[in-house]
């Protein structure tokens, strides 16, 4: 069973952390079979499961539903629940109550997006025993502020802000920080300057761990494929081919055959 302290020890032991998103029981079991030790129930489900163009409409109820599916199936993994838009931004109290709901749904930790302004939320959660993952760089809940999904931290000034945000999150008690879509050199600096692990997605090879969206990794979601995604399979193409063959065989009277019929 992977725990938060185990995950943090990985940085000291220089052993990479591997995280993949999961949204349901079937894939949670598959991930465990593959030896993946940490799962993020990401609000990316708004895009890959719900078909929206961004994550902003995902609700706490959506997230708790999927979190329960994953925690009900995962036996060994650390499950991180992703706090959706407006479940923690308005107040520290909101943040605390909603984070608690994730733990009641079986998650072991939560993740929230944002820099220094989120430090008081992280501190409050940490004080009551809720482990919190930070998330910096191209944080998708701020897509409207960025004017699209754009790499962050390219200018020296923005890079400096991100480094100082990362330190503020660490000081507040964050157990790890996800670094998304930023230059590899910046993620390297952040990784070196922090004592807590960094988990990169589009942040180069120097992070303490990596995370990918499951459907991107499997080549199942190909409507928008960022440069940082490597599809390790092409399941969308396979699924399409299977569905077309099924349709064709029913139309041609080839399915069901004798072997799929009861006698
Ligand atoms: O929602 C999500 O899946 C995430 C990862 C991309 C880090 O936040």
């Amino acid at each position: 069973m992977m725990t938060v302290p185990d995950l943090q020890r990985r940085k000291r032991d220089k052993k990479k952390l591997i995280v993949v998103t999961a949204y349901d029981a079937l894939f949670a079991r598959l991930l465990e079979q593959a030896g993946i030790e940490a799962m993020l129930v990401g609000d990316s489900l708004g895009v890959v499961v719900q078909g929206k163009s961004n994550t902003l409409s995902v609700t706490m109820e959506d997230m708790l539903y999927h979190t329960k599916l994953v925690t009900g199936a995962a036996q060994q993994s650390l499950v991180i629940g992703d706090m959706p838009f407006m479940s923690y931004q308005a107040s520290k109290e909101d943040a605390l109550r909603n984070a608690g709901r994730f733990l009641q749904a079986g998650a072991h930790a939560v993740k929230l997006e944002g820099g220094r302004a989120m430090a008081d939320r992280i501190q409050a959660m940490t004080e009551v025993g809720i482990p919190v993952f930070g998330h910096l760089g191209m944080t998708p809940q701020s897509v409207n502020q960025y004017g699209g999904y754009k790499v962050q931290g390219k200018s020296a000034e923005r890079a400096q802000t991100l480094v100082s945000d990362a330190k503020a999150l660490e000081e507040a008690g964050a157990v790890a920080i996800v670094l998304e879509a930023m230059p590899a050199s910046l993620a390297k600096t952040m990784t070196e300057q922090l004592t807590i692990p960094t988990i990169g997605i589009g942040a180069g090879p120097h992070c303490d761990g990596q995370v990918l969206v499951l459907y991107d990794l499997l080549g199942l979601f190909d409507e928008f494929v960022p440069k940082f995604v490597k599809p390790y399979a092409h399941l969308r193409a396979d699924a399409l081919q299977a569905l077309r063959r099924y349709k064709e065989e029913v139309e041609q009277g080839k399915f069901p055959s004798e072997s799929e019929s009861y006698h």
Side-chain angles (χ1 to χ4, degrees):
M1 169 79 207
M2 164 81 120
T3 64
V4 168
D6 291 337
L7 177 134
Q8 292 194 288
R9 264 192 292 277
R10 291 286 176 87
K11 182 172 181 115
R12 208 186 44 213
D13 298 346
K14 294 190 169 29
K15 193 157 181 260
K16 291 276 186 191
L17 284 160
I18 296 121
V19 185
V20 177
T21 67
Y23 316 106
D24 62 31
L26 187 144
F27 276 118
R29 289 202 188 102
L30 209 59
L31 259 55
E32 283 202 334
Q33 271 182 31
I36 307 285
E37 295 167 298
M39 300 176 196
L40 169 69
V41 186
D43 68 351
S44 50
L45 67 84
V47 178
V48 298
V49 177
Q50 297 176 334
K52 303 281 167 42
S53 58
N54 59 50
T55 58
L56 300 178
S57 60
V58 177
T59 64
M60 271 302 292
E61 276 57 46
D62 296 336
M63 291 307 302
L64 293 176
Y65 172 74
H66 287 278
T67 300
K68 283 181 200 158
L69 297 183
V70 170
T71 58
Q75 294 182 332
Q76 305 294 326
S77 321
L78 185 84
V79 179
I80 307 146
D82 203 5
M83 299 194 71
F85 184 56
M86 290 320 290
S87 69
Y88 58 96
Q89 284 92 341
S91 73
K92 195 165 75 179
E93 288 70 26
D94 271 3
L96 208 47
R97 286 213 178 81
N98 285 320
R101 294 175 75 196
F102 273 100
L103 266 67
Q104 285 167 336
H108 306 104
V110 296
K111 175 175 83 58
L112 53 76
E113 298 181 8
R116 187 171 292 277
M118 293 300 127
D120 64 341
R121 275 79 165 159
I122 295 174
Q123 188 175 347
M125 291 179 202
T126 305
E127 278 168 3
V128 298
I130 302 176
V132 191
F133 285 62
H135 187 165
L136 291 172
M138 203 297 293
T139 44
Q141 291 174 18
S142 301
V143 62
N144 289 309
Q145 195 169 45
Y146 304 144
Y149 294 105
K150 295 179 180 160
V151 178
Q152 298 296 306
K154 280 183 151 178
S155 72
E157 197 188 348
R158 176 84 172 115
Q160 193 41 53
T161 305
L162 285 170
V163 172
S164 113
D165 277 342
K167 288 185 182 158
L169 299 193
E170 172 168 288
E171 270 165 35
V175 297
I177 305 182
V178 171
L179 303 180
E180 179 159 356
M182 65 175 66
S185 56
L186 172 59
K188 181 171 189 276
T189 304
M190 289 162 93
T191 302
E192 285 165 0
Q193 294 196 7
L194 293 172
T195 60
I196 55 174
T198 59
I199 303 169
I201 171 160
H206 309 292
C207 296
D208 300 303
Q210 295 291 327
V211 56
L212 273 180
V213 169
L214 174 68
Y215 291 16
D216 288 342
L217 183 165
L218 296 178
L220 202 48
F221 182 82
D222 66 359
E223 284 164 41
F224 170 69
V225 185
K227 171 184 162 69
F228 59 73
V229 167
K230 178 169 177 182
Y232 285 87
H234 300 280
L235 294 199
R236 184 181 151 84
D238 287 353
L240 255 179
Q241 198 188 23
L243 291 165
R244 286 184 179 134
R245 278 188 52 213
Y246 165 65
K247 177 175 179 280
E248 209 174 270
E249 291 198 0
V250 173
E251 282 169 353
Q252 294 169 352
K254 289 188 184 160
F255 176 86
S257 70
E258 280 295 298
S259 59
E260 291 100 17
S261 302
Y262 295 108
H263 298 288

